[in-house]
Amino acid sequence: MKGRTVTYSPSITITVTHDCPKHCLYCGFRTDREGLISWENIEATLNNAHRFGATEVLIMSGEEVEKFPHIREQLKERGYKTFVDFVYSVCETVLENGFLPHTNIGVMTYEELARLREVNASMGLMLENVDPWVARKVQPQKNLRDRIRTLEDAGRLKIPYTSGILIGMGESVESRFESLQILADLHKQYGHLQEIIIQNYVPNRGSRLRPYPLSLEEYKELIAYSKEIMPEVAVQIPPNLNPYWLDLIEVGAEDLGGISPEGDHVNIDNPWDQITFYEEALTQKGYRLSKRLPVYAKYYQTVLSFPGKIGKYLKAFINNEP
Ligand code: SF4
């Protein structure tokens, strides 16, 4: 529909550590011995966030990083019992500096999610893909049941959530629809999915899997299916990764995700263009690009009711909205 508003979140990323004990074939993000980010680097990132006018700070890491002895050692040195305690502190610092955290640090327990929702506007975890070949060959150390359980626990806790599918890794066509159906079933039960990302795999330095690009028609079918089975959940297309992003807005995608002038920490070879580039491209097609917070407006009341500090800080943002 022409005239429709397309949204994005002005964002910046803090990668608390790239270290990850898993070895997914597509990953160009993971490292083994980097350790935890320093407080000086966090401060420098937040200073940049002020200059860039970001509202969201995306907080990321590898998964289950406490499996590394050097991470456990570093946490102890800094006075933290657990990695989640450290991430909690990072989120508090982000809030105190005038930004809203959105945390995605992989699979988590119910208790960990409950703790982090006190200091996050929203959180996220990609479902990725249910294809058995992908599970066996591409990401053998990731456990699909753990991912679904994390998504369910986030639903029980009413955390506004971002999830999605990762495609173009050699998965079957059926598995893409099946993955969307699982997300739709979760949303039907808990109502917490604010957006789902339909993300195409793009290799990075360090990736060890060849891509299997989808056609425009294949993306269109996925968006149509997603809108059919979960019409109220926004579809996000990453414009720095998907060559068809503008065509996909025309068939129902509504959001471009977080956009950072500092680049994409996962897809380091694919930084975003300037916002004006997206703005002009959309305007030419009759759409309007608009900023949003990392939590969608329909979930504001839910987040305001959460225990902890997040309500106070979110209220300040809501009061400043035009
Ligand atoms: S994709 Fe995630 S879980 Fe897999 S190796 Fe990379 S950081 Fe680790």
Side-chain angles (χ1 to χ4, degrees):
M1 186 182 46
K2 297 287 177 194
R4 186 158 56 79
T5 296
V6 175
T7 51
Y8 79 103
S9 172
S11 169
I12 209 159
T13 303
I14 292 177
T15 298
V16 285
T17 179
H18 290 84
D19 287 349
C20 181
K22 301 179 183 176
H23 292 81
C24 306
L25 284 189
Y26 55 79
C27 185
F29 173 88
R30 69 169 304 285
T31 51
D32 282 305
R33 291 286 308 174
E34 178 187 71
L36 299 172
I37 189 171
S38 67
W39 283 106
E40 290 74 27
N41 278 347
I42 291 173
E43 205 178 300
T45 305
L46 294 176
N47 285 339
N48 282 342
H50 279 296
R51 281 199 293 119
F52 297 143
T55 44
E56 168 180 346
V57 174
L58 168 63
I59 294 165
M60 298 180 55
S61 69
E63 285 203 348
E64 301 182 292
V65 301
E66 276 164 301
K67 286 189 173 165
F68 283 120
H70 70 278
I71 295 280
R72 295 200 299 273
E73 192 56 37
Q74 248 185 323
L75 289 168
K76 204 167 141 198
E77 278 164 20
R78 295 191 190 186
Y80 297 102
K81 281 205 176 111
T82 66
F83 180 61
V84 166
D85 287 344
F86 174 59
V87 172
Y88 191 98
S89 267
V90 174
C91 292
E92 279 183 313
T93 305
V94 166
L95 285 170
E96 285 156 10
N97 277 272
F99 307 102
L100 292 172
H102 169 101
T103 294
N104 181 342
I105 53 171
V107 290
M108 274 190 272
T109 65
Y110 180 92
E111 290 72 25
E112 289 170 336
L113 287 161
R115 185 150 158 67
L116 287 181
R117 82 171 176 171
E118 294 177 7
V119 285
N120 273 276
S122 59
M123 295 173 72
L125 178 74
M126 294 289 277
L127 175 68
E128 300 198 349
N129 205 286
V130 300
D131 185 291
W133 179 83
V134 170
R136 235 182 13 258
K137 296 285 182 197
V138 179
Q139 47 190 46
Q141 292 148 309
K142 276 188 174 168
N143 182 324
L144 181 63
R145 266 176 311 179
D146 279 350
R147 304 183 87 69
I148 294 176
R149 200 258 316 131
T150 301
L151 282 157
E152 268 172 348
D153 285 345
R156 284 194 192 97
L157 287 159
K158 302 189 185 334
I159 299 171
Y161 219 70
T162 298
S163 189
I165 61 172
L166 182 60
I167 51 181
M169 299 187 290
E171 72 283 345
S172 69
V173 171
E174 298 73 36
S175 73
R176 298 171 190 158
F177 292 93
E178 216 183 304
S179 304
L180 285 174
Q181 188 59 57
I182 288 174
L183 290 171
D185 292 345
L186 284 163
H187 183 68
K188 195 169 171 202
Q189 191 167 359
Y190 301 107
H192 65 313
L193 294 183
Q194 54 175 7
E195 55 185 3
I196 60 125
I197 311 172
I198 296 185
Q199 181 169 341
N200 51 311
Y201 162 57
V202 176
N204 282 290
R205 275 167 266 170
S207 301
R208 289 170 295 138
L209 177 73
R210 81 169 176 89
Y212 297 78
L214 277 73
S215 68
L216 174 59
E217 279 316 307
E218 285 178 303
Y219 285 117
K220 282 184 175 175
E221 282 170 22
L222 287 171
I223 291 177
Y225 188 65
S226 184
K227 294 315 291 181
E228 184 192 323
I229 58 175
M230 41 185 160
E232 71 278 21
V233 180
V235 172
Q236 181 185 121
I237 296 290
N240 58 325
L241 303 180
N242 196 314
Y244 307 118
W245 70 272
L246 195 50
D247 301 291
L248 299 176
I249 296 294
E250 304 222 57
V251 294
E254 298 120 310
D255 187 75
L256 303 183
I259 295 186
S260 167
E262 280 202 331
D264 184 334
H265 282 213
V266 174
N267 296 282
I268 47 173
D269 297 328
N270 295 273
W272 288 278
D273 277 294
Q274 301 275 329
I275 284 298
T276 47
F277 169 82
Y278 300 117
E279 231 159 25
E280 282 163 21
L282 286 164
T283 305
Q284 275 178 20
K285 294 273 184 183
Y287 299 98
R288 198 172 72 88
L289 185 62
S290 172
K291 293 178 190 174
R292 64 164 171 82
L293 299 182
V295 51
Y296 282 46
K298 64 182 167 184
Y299 293 101
Y300 286 172
Q301 288 311 317
T302 307
V303 176
L304 290 174
S305 74
F306 285 170
K309 299 179 175 178
I310 185 60
K312 177 182 125 190
Y313 287 100
L314 176 61
K315 204 182 244 171
F317 274 91
I318 297 169
N319 290 341
N320 280 335
E321 275 188 339

